[in-house]
Amino acid sequence: MSSTFFGLEMMKRALFAQQTALNTVGQNISNANTPGYSRQVVNMVASQPMYYPSMTSGGLVGQIGTGVDVQSITRMRESFLDTQYRNQNQLLGEWEVKSDTVNKLQAILNEPSDTGLTSALNQFFNAWQTLSTDPNNPSARSVVLQRGKQLADLLNETAQQLNDLNNDLQTNIQTQVTQVNSYIDQIQKLNVQIKSAETFGANANDLRDQRDYLVDQLSKIADVKVTENNQSYTLQVGDKTVLVDDGSTTWKHVVYDSGTFYTVDHAITNPQSSDYDTPSLNIQSGELKGLVDSQNIYVDTYINQLNDFTNTLVTQINTQHKQGYTLSSSQPTNVDFFTANPSNPAASIQVAITDTSLIAAASPNSIYTNDSGTLSGDGNNALSIGNMYNQSVTFATSSAGTFEDFLRSMVGQLGVQGQEADQMEKNQNSLVNQMDTMRQSVSGVSLDEEMANMIKYQQAYGAAARMVTTIDSLLNTIVTGMGITR
Amino acid sequence: MRVTQSMMNLQMLQNLSNSNERMMNLQNMLASGKRINTPSDDPVGVNYALRYRAQLNHLNQFKTNADAAANVLDFTDSTIGQVTDVLQRARELAVQGANDSLNSGDRQVIAKEVEQLFHQLVQLGNAQFNGKYIFNGQKTDVKPFSDPGSPTDPTNLWANFDTRSIDYLVSDGVTISVNITADNVFGANSDADNAFTALNQLYTGLQNNDTSTIQNALDNISTRLDKVLAARADIGARSNRVNLIEQRLNDMNTNYQKLLSSVEDADIAKTITDLKTAENVQQASLAVGARILVPTLVDFLK
């Protein structure tokens, strides 16, 4: 036989359980828009039943229920989807950066347009052609000089902008590395907190959400892998484990030094190359990979090509120019038209002459040496230079072709890269969105659902309260009514 | 599948952002009039666009070069025309001077006119176009003939002498010589029918009242005249060629403009239609967004 107050006790449990569920509804609604939050559910079970003794048989007739018990509050989450999301997110990060870089490169090269390198190059050759038709005309000479300067300036400017872009990328890598280290530190802290919170069996739902959200963010910057063990995450960045789940105090930080990533003990505040772990860290995707590739594959290639172009141009023009005769001398003048520092030609190319009479428009001519006068009508050297637009030359970084072919293939290559990066970015974006939608489908808070639950729990709470009233009136019958006679 | 508000929210934002991006691209195309604004818009097309642009650039320069060539050739043609006139008059005078009925006084008078013709011929030989001597090869800044006081042998006239050709680039790899040198018009010094030699001969013959010399001079002037006409025909032929090239350059210019436009320019009608479609999609998704985002169960619980 159960106690008189058994019903009250059972209903108290019911009230508490429904209240807990209502509070969880409240928590879910509050965090409906919190990034990384996963909805929580209260798992209720019927509590341990009691045996109901028999009056007659001495045995037991059965069990009587003792109400409800809140067994746990858990978050709805599927770690498989997390892994999928992170795998796509790191590729999104990589291609976002690449697409951004290629777009900047397209803006720098500024083609097709009337102000790009191809235009300046053609105008330069055209000026020589005009000079060849009127070789001693001072204004035709000064046009050649101006067009040469214009071409040189444009090359300088383009090289400068490419250089700036490279420096920006370099700075971004360092910033992202700092970010990665900050995430590693935070995940380590959460590992410790979650472990201590869960030692006594509770679920540290919100802390776990935070930790997963941090890993999500980290996955955009670099390829990460987590494995859970004893409530802690073992974290792998690239091909190195940076954080081990044993709660030890020796986790790693990432450093970037002269083109290579390394891991280094977190406690070293200002790591030197002797502190780096070997072998170096290999990061295969994420924004960091995108930034490094942008430097190595995109920007460096274009700087090299631009330098190759400039070098070849300087050599070709100068070789031809040196053979010619100027206005003021009757000997081949051996004057360079352009100068450039061979180590960074595009950034340093300049027109070497300032005096228009030093432009060698006349051709080397055997009769000339027997003749004291100047050949003011001879524009053959200018014609040879003006005709170079059409001549195939050999380049170090590309197959032989005209100068224009070279620039054109450079722009074409950039276009293909741009298209690829744009498409990859779009694809990854939709994949990440799809993954996120799938995760939301499991973990996201649905207000409709919460409202329905709210009503459900509210009704149950009301019913339980009603039950208390009924038991109260039963007790009232016993306590105040029983034994009284009129 | 379980669908939450934030999923719908996300989806709608994504769709809106997609249609915004599409509209931005189309508006950019319309504003610039170009289908290709960056290389990645069409990597293959951009290659053609750059090629055609460069080709147009070259064609314009060739056009400038050909115009300059045509001008020089026209001027040379008219100068040689005047040389022909002078030589024709000289021939008339020679015929007249060879007439046996004239006396020495008459011949002296004719000799005066021949002297004038000689000076005129020297002047024509020193003709300048844009300040450049046209008959002196590449030495365009040097006077080819000195002007003597009276008719004399050409050996005394040549101050400087250049026979090199001046070439203009008028097409890919095609140059055209725009000058004719004095030896082709007036004859080399050693030629018997050098225009100056012949006039000098005529002048001396007239002065000396020597009909056989006059007769010789007449023959020389006649052969020279034929050669001058041949030189003029040569210039005329080159002038024709330049004209043909100019026409071809114009045709090519039109062709390349067309090609460039077909590669690079936006099809306005199509782009506007696309933009209208995109606007409709945009408005529809905004309207749908307004519908789906508001109602939840909250709105119905009182």
Side-chain angles (χ1 to χ4, degrees), chain A residues 5-29:
Chain A
F5 300 109
F6 173 70
L8 273 181
E9 178 59 28
M10 182 159 70
M11 283 310 109
K12 187 190 84 187
R13 281 188 193 179
L15 285 173
F16 284 173
Q18 303 309 329
Q19 200 166 20
T20 309
L22 270 172
N23 283 340
T24 306
V25 166
Q27 161 83 346
N28 283 342
I29 295 171

Side-chain angles (χ1 to χ4, degrees), chain B residues 227-238:
Chain B
K227 288 178 184 169
V228 171
L229 285 172
R232 195 176 180 190
D234 177 28
I235 291 290
R238 282 193 239 166

Side-chain angles (χ1 to χ4, degrees), chain A residues 375-412:
Chain A
L375 285 171
S376 60
D378 181 358
N380 282 339
N381 203 45
L383 187 63
S384 299
I385 295 178
N387 218 350
M388 270 187 194
Y389 81 90
N390 205 16
Q391 276 163 16
S392 182
V393 285
T394 325
F395 295 97
T397 61
S398 139
S399 52
T402 65
F403 288 111
E404 203 184 290
D405 287 341
F406 186 92
L407 289 180
R408 207 163 48 224
S409 83
M410 204 163 110
V411 173

Side-chain angles (χ1 to χ4, degrees), chain A residues 39 106 114 122 126 129-130 133-134 365 371 376-378 389 404 408 433 440-441 444 447-449, chain B residues 2 5-6 14 38-40 47 53-54 57-58 61-62 65 132 138-141 164 168 172 297:
Chain A
R39 76 189 158 106
Q106 297 198 51
D114 293 329
N122 281 327
N126 284 349
Q129 285 185 26
T130 308
T133 66
D134 204 357
N365 204 314
D371 209 325
S376 60
D378 181 358
Y389 81 90
E404 203 184 290
R408 207 163 48 224
N433 275 332
Q440 288 285 319
S441 178
L447 289 178
D448 287 343
E449 186 185 357
Chain B
R2 194 174 161 271
Q5 274 73 29
S6 68
Q14 198 65 40
T38 57
S40 62
N47 218 315
R53 265 168 189 271
N57 209 321
H58 298 320
Q61 181 62 34
F62 291 149
N65 297 353
K132 291 186 281 190
Q138 294 182 348
K139 291 191 187 168
T140 52
D141 59 341
R164 275 166 290 182
Y168 284 10
D172 278 321
L297 197 51

